[in-house]
Amino acid sequence: MAKWFDQAREIERLRRENQRLATLVGELTERLAEDAADVDVFGVSADERQMVRDGRQVEAVKAYRERTGADLLTAKKAIDAGTFED
């Protein structure tokens, strides 16, 4: 019987975690919708693209990392891909 109670507690914990994550996804979706006009397919903002055009690639990578929380390699690849056409 104790095993059943442990499983029931775990199920309830997972339900709460699922609800928390669903709320977080909703909040992030709203934020993305607000920022969508300023961000291209690769997630690079207009400001970051302008930094690259101005020759400030390192600053663009830093700004991308601060805005997204990405690691250095991911940010570098995103900046390179998002500014290829510019």
Side-chain angles (χ1 to χ4, degrees):
M1 187 112 162
K3 184 176 181 180
W4 184 85
F5 285 117
D6 290 341
Q7 290 174 343
R9 271 194 298 269
E10 180 65 9
I11 290 170
E12 187 57 35
R13 185 191 70 76
L14 291 172
R15 283 186 183 144
R16 284 192 309 268
E17 180 67 6
N18 188 41
Q19 181 60 42
R20 184 186 73 79
L21 292 173
T23 301
L24 183 59
V25 166
E27 291 171 4
L28 291 172
T29 302
E30 287 177 19
R31 287 182 61 190
L32 285 173
E34 292 169 0
D35 295 339
D38 187 40
V39 175
D40 69 4
V41 174
F42 298 100
V44 180
S45 72
D47 291 338
E48 292 154 357
R49 288 190 305 273
Q50 185 61 46
M51 286 179 198
V52 172
R53 283 192 294 270
D54 293 342
R56 301 179 332 200
Q57 177 109 7
V58 173
E59 289 179 50
V61 171
K62 182 178 178 183
Y64 181 89
R65 289 186 70 197
E66 289 173 356
R67 185 174 56 81
T68 64
D71 62 83
L72 180 60
L73 184 59
T74 301
K76 174 81 169 85
K77 287 180 179 180
I79 292 295
D80 289 346
T83 58
F84 183 76
E85 296 175 1
D86 291 343

